[in-house]
């Protein structure tokens, strides 16, 4: 497993991507293999998702521009939210 790039004072949730998850990035097709959600528990509106690809790319999207996230980042983030809800954690 590759190490996430940590943001100071944030909690990191790690997930494997189940099944193939291909998406376009900078003009080529890449495959997400795992992702991390970095969250500040004191500031719930500040978070980031880091997608690790099979070819060793680390792609980070931050909450301040979540309206421009590609669909793959939105979909993976929704999986994180669902996992927190299933665990009984408030989102």
């Amino acid at each position: 497993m590759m190490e996430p790039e940590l943001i100071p004072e944030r909690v990191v949730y790690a997930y494997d991507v189940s099944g193939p998850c291909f998406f376009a990035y900078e003009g080529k097709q890449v495959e997400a293999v795992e992702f991390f959600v970095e969250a500040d528990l004191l500031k719930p509106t500040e978070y980031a998702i880091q997608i690790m690809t099979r070819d060793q790319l680390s792609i980070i999207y931050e909450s301040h521009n979540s309206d421009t996230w590609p669909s793959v980042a939105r979909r993976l983030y929704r999986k994180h939210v669902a996992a927190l809800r299933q665990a009984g954690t408030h989102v």
Side-chain angles (χ1 to χ4, degrees), residues 5 7 10 13 15 34-39 46-52 58-63 66 69-80:
E5 296 175 21
I7 298 173
R10 290 197 176 188
Y13 301 89
Y15 302 92
E34 60 186 344
F35 69 100
F36 303 90
V37 174
E38 300 165 336
E46 293 183 19
Y47 54 89
I49 184 169
Q50 179 180 17
I51 302 172
M52 307 300 264
S58 169
I59 306 165
I60 298 174
Y61 299 101
E62 295 187 357
S63 59
S66 63
W69 286 10
S71 62
V72 68
R74 293 177 214 256
R75 185 173 66 241
L76 293 175
Y77 186 75
R78 282 193 302 269
K79 287 184 178 198
H80 162 69

